[in-house]
């Protein structure tokens, strides 16, 4: 681990002023500290923002405003999250262990990096995300956990966050603060696909700080929602695939569908084609299957993960079928 300077910020302005061009913000540290310790990442300074205020409050529009320093455990347990956005509570509880959720922050969860084994293998593997131009050993190596959508010949890694899949389904907005002032970015636009620059994972600029996440007012499709994660073991494992789904019915037809997928791309994948295909259709398993295939038509599986296509289909159909029964 490269020696660095530790700074404890007194408030947000202090944190932004002291980060510099090569500093990193430290919240819970559940991913960042591992990355620094294993020399996957380097930083000249750590700016500790763990003492900044963290609150969850209703917004003026009737949505929810969540400070970035809120711990994952607190967010999952909040009454408004559990009643209005149950998909988010369930996604958080599906992630990591209770001990890690007690430390991990909302902002850090959004910024966590891929768990691709080649990304972490500093001494033995080629990784364009870690070292641009080095190559990608996952393309022809062990790629069971890797992307089937939105990948490139430079990188096939996936984003590991469960929480972010739910936030994508909910149309969450990320609030940022930096040298250029305040700005807001939809969660679905915050993470970027690898293309030719897999080392660029988000739209963050140097010195930017995630300050909050805002959820829009709840709808029938956010209240009637579910998160389902499929993994190799029942706990403390990253998703092979996951589905965040929400459904609203009217007069026996789908009035609104919300679908986001995890474990399939370098970012949470909002299945907008499937959503549009379902509106006005009867909520049947056949309709759900046909709809998700609208998004999966672009899937490009690797040697070890073609099973993900069928797994996404079956899981999405199961989630929406259950929600249709609840909404009947």
């Amino acid at each position: 681990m490269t020696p660095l300077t530790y700074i404890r910020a007194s408030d947000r302005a202090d944190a932004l002023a002291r980060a510099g061009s090569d500093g990193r913000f430290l919240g819970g540290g559940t991913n960042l500290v591992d990355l620094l310790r294993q020399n996957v990442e380097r930083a000249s300074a750590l700016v500790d923002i763990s003492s900044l205020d963290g609150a969850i409050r209703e917004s003026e529009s009737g949505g929810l405003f969540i400070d970035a320093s809120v711990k994952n455990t607190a967010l999952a347990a909040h009454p408004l999250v559990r009643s209005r956005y149950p998909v988010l509570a369930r996604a958080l509880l599906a992630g990591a262990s209770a001990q890690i959720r007690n430390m991990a922050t909302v902002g850090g969860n959004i910024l966590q990096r891929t768990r691709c084994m080649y990304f972490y293998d500093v001494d033995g593997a080629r990784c364009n995300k870690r070292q641009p131009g080095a190559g990608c050993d996952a393309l022809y190596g062990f790629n069971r956990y890797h992307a089937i959508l939105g990948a490139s010949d430079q990188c096939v890694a996936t984003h590991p966050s469960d929480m972010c899949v739910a936030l994508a389904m909910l149309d969450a907005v990320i609030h940022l603060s930096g040298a250029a002032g305040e700005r807001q970015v939809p969660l679905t636009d915050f993470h970027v696909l690898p293309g030719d620059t897999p080392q660029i994972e988000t739209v963050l600029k140097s010195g930017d700080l995630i300050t909050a996440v805002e959820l829009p007012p709840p709808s029938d499709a956010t209240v009637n929602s579910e998160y389902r994660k499929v993994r190799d073991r029942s706990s403390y494992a990253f998703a092979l695939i996951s589905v965040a789904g929400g459904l609203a019915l009217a007069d026996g037809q789908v009035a609104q569908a919300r679908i986001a997928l995890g474990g399939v791309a370098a970012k949470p994948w909002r299945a907008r084609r499937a959503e549009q295909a379902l509106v006005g259709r009867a909520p049947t398993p056949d309709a759900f299957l046909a709809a998700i295939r609208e998004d999966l038509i672009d899937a490009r599986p690797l040697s070890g993960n073609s099973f993900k296509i069928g797994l996404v289909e079956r899981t999405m159909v199961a989630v929406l079928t259950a929600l249709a029964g609840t909404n009947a």
Side-chain angles (χ1 to χ4, degrees), residues 241 243 261 264 292 296 308-316:
I241 67 97
V243 174
L261 308 175
V264 299
I292 196 59
L296 293 174
K308 285 193 175 189
I309 295 176
L311 194 57
V312 167
E313 291 175 346
R314 294 189 296 275
T315 306
M316 198 280 287

Side-chain angles (χ1 to χ4, degrees), residues 155-213:
C155 182
V156 292
T158 55
H159 194 268
S161 171
D162 294 287
M163 182 192 76
C164 285
V165 181
L167 291 180
M169 193 218 83
L170 293 170
D171 289 326
V173 174
I174 310 300
H175 289 245
L176 303 172
S177 185
E182 310 282 333
R183 73 185 198 278
Q184 301 175 18
V185 181
L187 185 282
T188 50
D189 295 333
F190 181 79
H191 301 98
V192 298
L193 296 176
D196 294 329
T197 55
Q199 74 279 11
I200 300 174
E201 299 175 357
T202 72
V203 298
L204 280 180
K205 299 174 183 177
S206 178
D208 275 354
L209 174 66
I210 297 176
T211 58
V213 174

Side-chain angles (χ1 to χ4, degrees), residues 211-288:
T211 58
V213 174
E214 186 173 4
L215 301 181
S219 67
D220 290 343
T222 61
V223 174
N224 185 44
S225 60
E226 178 63 86
Y227 183 77
R228 191 167 300 188
K229 179 178 182 177
V230 183
R231 44 192 166 179
D232 280 330
R233 60 180 187 268
S234 61
S235 65
Y236 199 42
F238 294 99
L240 291 169
I241 67 97
S242 63
V243 174
L247 198 65
L249 305 181
D251 300 323
Q253 296 182 332
V254 176
Q256 185 185 31
R258 291 171 175 257
I259 305 164
L261 308 175
V264 299
K267 60 186 291 184
W269 192 268
R270 185 71 182 265
R272 297 194 185 276
R273 293 180 191 171
E275 293 175 351
Q276 294 168 3
L278 281 173
V279 174
R281 299 284 303 277
T284 66
D286 286 344
F288 298 148

